[in-house]
Amino acid sequence: MSRPVLGAAFLLVGFAILFRINHMIDAWLFSNMPAWLVDLSVSI
C-alpha cells in the first residue's frame, strides 16, 4: 500500500519541479508567512 502512495508523491514532486510550480508555492508562502517566521527560516 505504501509503495504506490510514495511513487505518486515522487511523481507529483517531480512534475512540480519540472514545471517550476515549487517556485510559485515558495513565493506564495513567503508572501503569506509572518515576518518573524521568514526571518527565522532565512537565518538558519
Side-chain angles (χ1 to χ4, degrees):
M1 176 66 186
S2 64
R3 192 172 281 185
V5 172
L6 189 58
F10 283 153
L11 281 175
L12 286 173
V13 169
F15 281 122
I17 292 172
L18 182 65
F19 293 113
R20 298 192 175 269
I21 297 170
N22 60 326
H23 293 291
M24 291 185 279
I25 294 170
D26 286 344
W28 180 81
L29 281 173
F30 281 134
S31 67
N32 290 319
M33 281 195 305
W36 65 268
L37 190 56
V38 172
D39 292 340
L40 178 67
S41 68
V42 172
S43 68
I44 292 179

